Amino acid sequence: MSEVYKVAIIGSGPAGMSAASRAAARKLDHVLLEKSGHLSDTIFKYQKGKHVMATPSQLILRSDQDFDAGKKEDILDKWTARTADLGVNVKYNAEVKSIRGTGPAIEGSVQKIVTRARDGSSTTTEVQRFAPPYAIELTSGETVMAENVVLAIGTQGNPNLMRCPGSDLPHVTYQLDDPYAILDEHIIVVGTGDAGIENARGLAEDSAQGNVVTVLNRAPKSTNVRESFPTAKEPNAKALVEDDAIGKLAIRYETETKAVEPGWITLATRDGEERIRCDRIIARIGSAPPRGFVEGCGIEFASADRLAFPTLSPSFESTAPGIFVIGALAGYPLIKHCMNQGYDVIEFISGNTDLKPADEPLLEAKFADLPGRKSVNEWLELLRGNIAILDGMTALQMREFMLDSDARFYKKGETIFEKNAPGSSLFAIADGSVHVRIDPNDSSKVVPIPKGSIFGEVGLISGRRRGATIVAAEDCICVEISRNAALKLQSQVPTAKRAIERISTERQLLQMFGSGLSSDDVREVVDTAKIMQVRAGEPVITEGADDKDVFVIRVGSMIVEKDIGGKPVFLSYLPAGSYVGEMALIDGGQRTATVRAAIKSEVIRIDGEAFRRVLDAKPALLERARNDMEGRRRTNAFIESKKDGFSGVVDLYSEQAKFLVAQGLGEATDVLLIDERLCVGCDNCEKACADSHDGLSRLDREAGKSFAHLHVPTSCRHCEHPHCMADCPPNAIHRGPDGEVFINDTCIGCGNCQRNCPYGVIRMDKVPPKKPSLLNWLLFGNGPGPGEPPYKWSKKNTKYTGDPQVDEALDRKKAIKCDMCAGIEGGPSCVRACPTGAAIRVSPDEFLTVARLENEGA
Amino acid sequence: MATIASKRRTGASRQRTSTHEGFLTHRKGRWLKISALLAVALIALYIFVPLPGQHFGSTWLGYTLGTIGALLILWLTMLGVRKRAITPGRWSLKAWTSAHVYLGLLLIVVGTLHSGFEFGWNVHTLAWGLMMLVIVSGMFGIWVYATLPRALSDNRYDEDGAITEKQMVEALRSIDRQIHDAAQPLDSEAAALVNRSLEEDPFAGSFWNRLTGRYPRDATRSAASGLRQMRANKPRVADDPIEKVDALLTRKEAMLARMRRHLKLKSWLQAWLYVHVPVTFALIAALSAHVVSVFFYW
Ligand SMILES: Cc1cc2nc3c(=O)[nH]c(=O)nc-3n(C[C@H](O)[C@H](O)[C@H](O)COP(=O)(O)OP(=O)(O)OC[C@H]3O[C@@H](n4cnc5c(N)ncnc54)[C@H](O)[C@@H]3O)c2cc1C
Ligand code: HEM
Ligand code: SF4
Ligand code: SF4
Ligand code: SF4
């Protein structure tokens, strides 16, 4: 242990590299530790030739390194050269295993680490923090000492490790660089995702390689590869199954590893244990987020939420003194932000405390239109001071939060949003107050919401349309918090989460049961209400049970089923915002049907007794609940009577409903459904889609699943909580004013959304050149005609200019998906252009009704 | 069916539907009713309105019917443009098709009455005849549209659910690769037979082959029967590679049959338009000749 560096920077991504460059420029005594053999492994692994984007464009870059949009290879070359010029002290192949303080124990500073097991139980370990200098231990066994540590390891994480005895032996590996370099070995591949499949197939491609490759699959064999290989792409899985069929390699189904020893492996199969030869194991079983490692360093996360980031001070210092966190790991996934933070953090560590953050101009612009001349910091203070849910935030969090939010001034009487408008953002009142209109026809019937409170939470939580119109009661300033910022806020600030939950529960109840109720009436109900997570398929109410609770669906949707003649029959579909369970409460007796989650959902469980008391006190409410109940009863009776008559009809109706739910309709807001009995396969729907969107079709009519003549083509369903939004670095995916989920121009083409969408509806493609007009084609046959032009035509007709800037833009691939023809008069072109009426776009609650049974039964 | 026009926030409005309603029953058969009513009314006019002279076509009613008929034909032809011009607006091609079908049928009445039942070997009767040909082909099209989609859909299902045309092609390729590998140990004569099946393009065959679904000189078929003959003449051995190839060829045949049924149905769904549309153009030419000659010679 010779030297103690002033600062050790871990991870050489844009954040860490920029930090090290600053340190080198400042002649600070530093070391940059990088796991891989090159700089910036995340970017290094982008696909070849990927165009890297430099968003947000208004943000100025503050770094000793250059960064402009361009080819990944060029950018990395520049960085590597500049890093050498600056004399950065880089240590490659230096993977950090642990970071320990070597100073005295810090009093009262104990890190609590909660680990969750698969079965849901959790254990808490407490770790005493020690003061710097830190001993940074590498996997090579070497130790590096530093006073300050900058953690910039990104969010890619490490591969999941095998756990069986012997899994620490050296021939158990997690990566395969060159499958063709391995010859004459017995190899076991664990994991049947795309990575594992590609490795296995590469190893067995040529019999001359002489490898004996066995792939272990936990799932049972099935003729449907989507079931036996749920995490792989279908063509990959099919190819693997083929290789197995012709004996190139072997797939072992329902098999797991039991133990590893040199040269051999023991497998646990359905028919008992088996020991086979094995010279090498390649485990491709996904990767774990770096959270465990980070927590182990004494760094606290804001909450247990999967989305949470470390708790940081304005100068990026974590709860472990002297350890700083920057970059994607700190919650800033864009390269520019990362690089700026790298610069800033070194300035802070060097004692330059009055450095203005680089995002200052962005925030200045955010506040520019508000009345009263205040500085950014004053505005941030005002918001934090006035808005209750922002109370627990740090200055750094406030800045980040405002980057994704908007502050607006509304004049008295101005409408903030209208009932039934789609919208998933949350509003908070920083100054003034607003009115909720409870009667659309009478503008004098209002409920006030005071300064400091929030509104719009229903849209945020359920993803459904706005429940009421909101108008400014006086001149006021509100912050519109985008869905992403609101989700982040809830995971960062647990008190904010609880406050939002309580308000939303209360409002949801008041709204559902109509006027005449005040918050005092429902206080007891709200206090006893519990928010529960329900997994897809899990029941909240079971037919024949004796409980009396009422459930409000907060997130997701439910289906109601009843056992008729020994078969569960689908009765109805309940979207978020509805309630169930009132029948047993009002009429007594056992539950008459089963209610289960169509998709992963959240319900508010309301204590039956407490609710009963509200009903008793409010006869009007009881009356309403009775009416709702009667309506449901009639539906059920109707279905049951049909079941007696021609049982085939009800079975079909029920099976179709279940099929649609299995296709994820439970989370859709607007889905394309094709009746195969009407579809003549003309593909005019696809052509119309292409012709109304830059010549690229966002719909694959033939692909997708079918059941009993009902076809769900591959096209966006505009999910209530879109999975595609989860991980978009520039935050380019939004819900538009008509409820559509769309991608705007800031897309950087990273492909995350394509990977995240479970329905495979996003494609990455470049825009084809413009076609000659329809008339030109009809009369003279010019151009490729209606629909998406063939690839060849596009290639031939792309007019390259020779200017690399322009040509690059012509070739740039971006994420493309259905936008529901937003803003086009008449609505979705696919539906308008279908000659037979086979294609419709519907919301599941419009479609899954008994009306269907009446129509189909005829 | 519920049709709600919801006002959208962007100002663009959209027709919302909640169930599938085919073009024949569009709006509970609105165009069927309109056309039937018009047909009855026109026939009544023809029967009950007293008109002078012999040439019905040149009476006021004749001219009216003629004008209506000619305009109707032009409008019916516009369906081809409507189908391809995806302009904004609250049109629906389904509504157009519905109107096209029933107003097209009404033309039988309009055109025939207009002729005054005077037929001969002239351009006028030619126009009428072509019109009837288009209409009859249209009626055939309706029959095709009403019956084949169901069969097309049924053909796609197997025990694992529905597969698409692309998946059928993929499946064939996959079987081909397996046949290729399994055929390695075969002697050259057998290998040549198998090779012909492998070289066969699933999309090959004439238009006629497709429409009938019959492919008399199918290579897979002949390879399978050839192999069986060879095996019959040889002593039986365990693990005979021929047996394995035979089993694969049988699987390929089944998938090929399915694919061909699929192509056959798809062809029929389009084939009638190859009569309907070109004859439409012939009709428009004949119609122009008819109109011109009428104004010159009468
Ligand atoms: C496909 C794709 C495309 C993208 N395109 C863009 C784009 O066009 N524009 C844009 O702005 N953003 C883009 N992003 C986002 C951006 O790449 C990342 O958010 C950014 O790289 C994060 O930088 P970072 O420095 O925080 O971490 P990373 O870049 O992830 O770097 C972390 C580094 O730490 C190293 N490391 C990890 N653990 C250890 C350890 N224990 N010890 C030592 N070293 C370790 C890693 O090897 C790696 O080199 C894209 C992301 C992806 C996945
Ligand atoms: C003289 C009268 C008619 C004319 C001029 C006419 C003309 C046309 C034209 C030009 C098309 C467009 C084809 C395309 O572009 O793909 C078409 C389509 C069609 N016609 Fe007719 N037609 C006539 C009568 C009829 C009748 C009587 C029927 C039915 C009974 C009919 C049924 C159809 C159908 C079903 C289509 C296909 C719609 C589609 O798939 O887009 N037509 N017709
Ligand atoms: S792209 Fe996929 S995840 Fe996103 S809204 Fe559409 S269907 Fe849902
Ligand atoms: S829209 Fe998709 S491809 Fe584009 S930046 Fe976002 S996640 Fe990446
Ligand atoms: S436009 Fe209608 S009939 Fe044609 S392929 Fe699409 S859904 Fe089928």
Side-chain angles (χ1 to χ4, degrees):
Chain A
M1 256 175 236
S2 50
E3 189 179 0
V4 178
Y5 292 105
K6 171 81 177 160
V7 51
I9 298 142
I10 305 174
S12 69
M17 174 209 55
S18 173
S21 304
R22 185 72 211 136
R26 265 191 167 259
K27 305 255 178 310
L28 210 63
D29 186 24
H30 71 280
V31 62
L32 174 60
L33 303 172
E34 167 56 45
K35 173 169 79 172
S36 65
H38 41 253
L39 287 180
S40 209
D41 194 43
T42 301
I43 296 178
F44 186 86
K45 283 187 185 146
Y46 288 178
Q47 88 220 39
K48 198 171 144 248
K50 153 105 171 71
H51 177 78
V52 183
M53 313 267 281
T55 41
S57 50
Q58 319 93 297
L59 184 66
I60 2 167
L61 182 71
R62 183 158 70 191
S63 172
D64 297 280
Q65 295 270 2
D66 260 348
F67 174 52
D68 255 324
K71 262 211 182 91
K72 144 205 156 180
E73 288 80 4
D74 298 343
I75 291 172
L76 286 177
D77 284 349
K78 261 195 213 156
W79 286 350
T80 310
R82 176 85 180 138
T83 304
D85 283 352
L86 285 167
V88 176
N89 176 24
V90 199
K91 209 171 159 62
Y92 291 111
N93 303 314
E95 177 171 0
V96 175
K97 199 162 77 181
S98 70
I99 306 174
R100 271 176 307 110
T102 55
I106 305 172
E107 216 175 299
S109 183
V110 176
Q111 158 87 336
K112 282 205 180 79
I113 302 175
V114 183
T115 34
R116 276 215 175 74
R118 266 215 197 125
D119 59 10
S121 67
S122 62
T123 43
T124 309
T125 31
E126 298 198 344
V127 179
Q128 170 66 49
R129 289 199 189 91
F130 291 89
Y134 287 101
I136 303 168
E137 198 191 337
L138 307 184
T139 43
S140 63
E142 206 181 325
T143 305
V144 175
M145 296 292 297
E147 274 173 48
N148 294 291
V149 178
V150 174
L151 207 54
I153 57 172
T155 48
Q156 299 295 344
N158 284 316
N160 284 333
L161 302 184
M162 302 223 322
R163 291 167 192 276
C164 65
S167 57
D168 48 355
L169 288 169
H171 68 293
V172 180
T173 60
Y174 297 94
Q175 187 173 328
L176 177 65
D177 290 329
D178 182 7
Y180 309 107
I182 296 173
L183 301 172
D184 299 321
E185 286 191 17
H186 288 256
I187 306 158
I188 304 281
V189 177
V190 187
T192 47
D194 290 315
I197 292 180
E198 275 157 24
N199 287 173
R201 295 197 65 222
L203 289 164
E205 192 175 305
D206 192 342
S207 52
Q209 287 162 275
N211 293 323
V212 180
V213 180
T214 308
V215 180
L216 305 189
N217 188 354
R218 212 186 274 160
K221 187 167 182 163
S222 152
T223 42
N224 183 355
V225 294
R226 284 164 297 214
E227 275 164 22
S228 42
F229 297 88
T231 54
K233 291 201 191 77
E234 207 174 309
N236 269 342
K238 281 203 167 138
L240 184 77
V241 171
E242 258 172 47
D243 285 357
D244 178 38
I246 59 176
K248 273 190 175 178
L249 46 74
I251 307 175
R252 287 175 161 255
Y253 293 94
E254 294 178 77
T255 301
E256 294 181 47
T257 48
K258 187 75 199 287
V260 181
E261 52 200 301
W264 295 89
I265 185 169
T266 308
L267 306 175
T269 72
R270 217 181 41 178
D271 311 317
E273 283 179 16
E274 200 176 326
R275 187 164 171 263
I276 61 172
R277 284 204 48 197
C278 165
D279 307 315
R280 179 191 296 264
I281 296 173
I282 299 169
R284 304 303 298 259
I285 43 184
S287 58
R291 177 158 179 165
F293 164 71
V294 177
E295 281 185 324
C297 302
I299 296 169
E300 202 170 277
F301 278 65
S303 71
D305 197 299
R306 203 174 46 85
L307 294 170
F309 293 105
T311 309
L312 300 177
S313 77
S315 53
F316 305 107
E317 191 164 4
S318 70
T319 45
I323 303 187
F324 298 77
V325 179
I326 57 171
L329 183 63
Y332 289 83
L334 285 174
I335 294 170
K336 246 187 183 176
H337 281 304
C338 291
M339 293 178 71
N340 285 350
Q341 290 180 351
Y343 179 101
D344 293 359
V345 78
I346 295 298
E347 288 297 311
F348 291 137
I349 291 173
S350 322
N352 176 4
T353 45
D354 35 64
L355 178 77
K356 274 226 162 134
D359 52 21
E360 190 80 2
L362 289 183
L363 289 175
E364 268 166 15
K366 293 250 174 200
F367 296 118
D369 294 335
L370 298 187
R373 294 177 170 276
K374 288 195 178 60
S375 71
V376 168
N377 275 333
E378 284 166 340
W379 275 119
L380 291 175
E381 255 328 292
L382 180 120
L383 297 185
R384 184 165 59 174
N386 286 2
I387 298 173
I389 57 167
L390 301 184
D391 194 30
M393 294 233 269
T394 65
L396 187 68
Q397 283 171 339
M398 273 305 289
R399 297 192 85 91
E400 189 197 336
F401 166 80
M402 269 319 290
L403 284 177
D404 280 342
S405 307
D406 279 304
R408 282 201 213 97
F409 172 73
Y410 296 93
K411 270 203 146 21
K412 179 179 166 151
E414 200 176 326
T415 303
I416 300 175
F417 58 69
E418 275 177 53
K419 186 181 163 92
N420 286 334
S424 52
S425 54
L426 179 70
F427 285 80
I429 309 170
D431 199 22
S433 66
V434 301
H435 279 161
V436 188
R437 280 217 188 131
I438 48 182
D439 184 342
N441 302 316
D442 185 353
S443 59
S444 65
K445 283 199 183 150
V446 293
V447 174
I449 298 181
K451 173 162 142 182
S453 189
I454 56 169
F455 57 93
E457 72 291 336
V458 176
L460 169 72
I461 292 159
S462 70
R464 304 244 162 203
R465 290 166 187 269
R466 302 292 192 193
T469 299
I470 308 276
V471 271
E474 53 193 300
D475 286 1
C476 63
I477 294 174
C478 296
V479 182
E480 177 169 6
I481 308 168
S482 72
R483 181 173 175 274
N484 273 338
L487 293 181
K488 240 188 213 171
L489 170 69
Q490 292 186 71
S491 67
Q492 300 285 69
V493 190
T495 50
K497 186 178 168 89
R498 275 193 296 278
I500 293 174
E501 273 174 4
R502 187 181 160 101
I503 293 179
S504 68
T505 305
E506 179 186 307
R507 295 231 182 104
Q508 193 149 26
L509 294 179
L510 289 178
Q511 199 175 347
M512 228 166 40
F513 298 116
S515 52
L517 282 186
S518 69
S519 13
D520 288 334
D521 295 329
V522 294
R523 172 141 312 136
E524 191 198 347
V525 170
V526 174
D527 286 343
T528 52
K530 270 201 201 68
I531 292 180
M532 291 171 23
Q533 314 277 334
V534 197
R535 269 177 290 128
E538 196 183 332
V540 291
I541 293 177
T542 312
E543 191 173 346
D546 281 318
D547 58 315
K548 293 273 179 298
D549 292 342
V550 174
F551 296 87
V552 177
I553 304 163
R554 198 170 112 95
V555 178
S557 58
M558 303 264 152
I559 54 172
V560 186
E561 285 175 348
K562 188 179 175 69
D563 203 74
I564 306 179
K567 257 195 202 163
V569 167
F570 172 88
L571 292 182
S572 57
Y573 171 85
L574 301 170
S578 18
Y579 68 100
V580 273
E582 79 292 357
M583 284 189 194
L585 185 63
I586 295 174
D587 273 8
Q590 296 180 333
R591 299 290 196 186
T592 55
T594 296
V595 180
R596 59 174 86 244
I599 46 148
K600 189 169 159 237
S601 304
E602 240 175 70
V603 293
I604 308 172
R605 180 190 206 119
I606 296 174
D607 180 60
E609 290 312 313
F611 192 61
R612 174 90 241 175
R613 281 190 281 280
V614 181
L615 286 181
D616 287 344
K618 300 276 167 185
L621 179 58
L622 182 61
E623 187 57 28
R624 235 188 99 168
R626 272 237 150 82
N627 283 341
D628 288 353
M629 187 176 85
E630 282 316 316
R632 284 179 183 176
R633 278 247 161 93
R634 269 198 300 279
T635 307
N636 299 359
F638 173 75
I639 292 175
E640 284 188 52
S641 71
K642 283 263 176 180
K643 172 84 185 171
D644 297 339
F646 355 58
S647 78
V649 182
V650 170
D651 283 345
L652 185 70
Y653 163 77
S654 187
E655 298 277 315
Q656 263 190 354
K658 274 180 213 156
F659 160 74
L660 290 174
V661 165
Q663 295 314 303
L665 230 70
E667 60 176 329
T669 63
D670 199 289
V671 60
L672 183 61
L673 289 181
I674 290 179
D675 186 340
E676 292 189 336
R677 293 168 306 182
L678 290 171
C679 174
V680 298
C682 62
D683 280 335
N684 216 39
C685 40
E686 276 185 24
K687 291 179 191 150
C689 179
D691 283 346
S692 32
H693 296 97
D694 297 334
L696 288 175
S697 172
R698 286 106 211 277
L699 130 79
D700 187 340
R701 194 235 345 143
E702 219 195 341
K705 293 199 186 173
S706 314
F707 179 82
H709 301 302
L710 201 56
H711 179 59
V712 188
T714 300
S715 169
C716 178
R717 297 109 192 269
H718 305 278
C719 304
E720 278 163 6
H721 295 278
H723 309 272
C724 53
M725 281 186 189
D727 198 10
C728 173
N731 196 5
I733 311 181
H734 297 273
R735 191 178 287 282
D738 290 327
E740 75 280 6
V741 174
F742 72 98
I743 301 178
N744 67 22
D745 287 342
T746 60
C747 167
I748 54 175
C750 68
N752 285 354
C753 53
Q754 188 185 34
R755 282 187 287 277
N756 284 336
C757 169
Y759 306 112
V761 307
I762 300 184
R763 58 188 278 200
M764 308 295 300
D765 226 320
K766 55 186 184 192
V767 177
K770 227 175 151 44
K771 295 185 293 189
S773 73
L774 177 64
L775 210 62
N776 208 329
W777 175 77
L778 277 174
L779 298 180
F780 311 111
N782 283 336
E788 190 168 314
Y791 176 73
K792 266 205 190 119
W793 184 89
S794 304
K795 202 168 161 185
K796 206 174 110 202
N797 288 280
T798 303
K799 293 199 174 51
Y800 292 108
T801 56
D803 176 354
Q805 284 273 306
V806 180
D807 291 356
E808 187 285 314
L810 287 175
D811 277 339
R812 187 179 304 161
K813 285 191 177 170
K814 288 200 172 194
I816 307 235
K817 68 178 280 300
C818 164
D819 61 356
M820 236 152 84
C821 288
I824 299 181
E825 171 68 13
S829 308
C830 49
V831 175
R832 287 186 296 145
C834 176
T836 65
I840 59 171
R841 262 200 172 274
V842 283
S843 73
D845 41 326
E846 278 168 352
F847 191 74
L848 290 172
T849 60
V850 260
R852 228 179 121 51
L853 189 55
E854 282 162 346
N855 290 341
E856 299 292 306
Chain B
M1 178 182 76
T3 327
I4 322 138
S6 72
K7 192 74 192 149
R8 305 168 93 207
R9 297 250 297 167
T10 45
S13 61
R14 162 180 178 189
Q15 203 86 9
R16 288 206 78 96
T17 47
S18 59
T19 53
H20 288 107
E21 184 195 50
F23 66 106
L24 290 176
T25 49
H26 173 70
R27 297 222 166 182
K28 300 205 163 75
R30 158 190 291 197
W31 290 104
L32 170 64
K33 289 177 202 156
I34 294 179
S35 294
L37 227 70
L38 280 172
V40 171
L42 290 176
I43 292 173
L45 274 180
Y46 185 81
I47 295 174
F48 297 112
V49 177
L51 293 164
Q54 291 172 315
H55 277 297
F56 173 77
S58 51
T59 62
W60 68 265
L61 185 58
Y63 271 124
T64 315
L65 283 174
T67 315
I68 294 179
L71 291 177
L72 208 49
I73 288 177
L74 293 180
W75 180 81
L76 289 168
T77 310
M78 288 309 289
L79 182 68
V81 177
R82 174 74 290 173
K83 188 174 173 181
R84 294 173 178 88
I86 312 299
T87 53
R90 297 203 24 202
W91 52 273
S92 120
L93 191 63
K94 178 183 89 170
W96 271 69
T97 316
S98 187
H100 179 94
V101 165
Y102 293 116
L103 293 180
L105 287 172
L106 178 66
L107 254 185
I108 304 179
V109 176
V110 175
T112 309
L113 293 184
H114 169 71
S115 77
F117 300 96
E118 283 176 53
F119 300 111
W121 295 107
N122 53 31
V123 68
H124 319 297
T125 304
L126 174 66
W128 180 86
L130 288 173
M131 182 191 83
M132 289 309 289
L133 191 55
V134 176
I135 294 177
V136 170
S137 67
M139 286 153 79
F140 176 73
I142 291 304
W143 178 74
V144 163
Y145 273 25
T147 53
L148 297 191
R150 205 180 261 269
L152 189 69
S153 164
D154 286 336
N155 184 48
R156 292 176 47 220
Y157 287 84
D158 61 14
E159 64 279 8
D160 296 332
I163 64 171
T164 62
E165 182 177 316
K166 228 172 133 191
Q167 285 167 324
M168 291 181 203
V169 177
E170 255 173 42
L172 282 174
R173 283 218 189 97
S174 145
I175 300 175
D176 271 353
R177 277 193 294 269
Q178 295 176 38
I179 293 176
H180 176 85
D181 291 339
Q184 293 311 317
L186 296 188
D187 61 32
S188 63
E189 194 190 345
L193 263 179
V194 172
N195 242 349
R196 282 211 288 125
S197 162
L198 292 184
E199 279 160 11
E200 189 182 35
D201 173 5
F203 289 99
S206 63
F207 187 63
W208 184 249
N209 291 143
R210 279 214 187 176
L211 275 185
T212 55
R214 288 211 190 89
Y215 297 76
R217 275 194 301 278
D218 180 54
T220 307
R221 166 109 285 218
S222 67
S225 59
L227 281 190
R228 269 172 222 160
Q229 262 165 23
M230 273 180 204
R231 200 178 44 174
N233 296 331
K234 272 194 213 161
R236 206 187 149 84
V237 288
D239 267 346
D240 191 345
I242 292 192
E243 203 160 324
K244 201 168 164 197
V245 175
D246 185 20
L248 286 167
L249 283 173
T250 312
R251 255 178 69 203
K252 179 171 174 185
E253 259 189 287
M255 184 50 78
L256 210 52
R258 189 171 194 202
M259 167 101 182
R260 286 175 173 163
R261 219 154 33 233
H262 179 81
L263 292 178
K264 174 178 158 185
L265 292 166
K266 262 181 61 172
S267 313
W268 277 103
L269 280 165
Q270 290 161 6
W272 71 276
L273 277 169
Y274 290 113
V275 175
H276 198 69
V277 178
V279 180
T280 294
F281 287 107
L283 163 63
I284 291 176
L287 188 66
S288 316
H290 159 70
V291 172
V292 171
S293 68
V294 163
F295 282 108
F296 271 93
Y297 298 109
W298 262 290

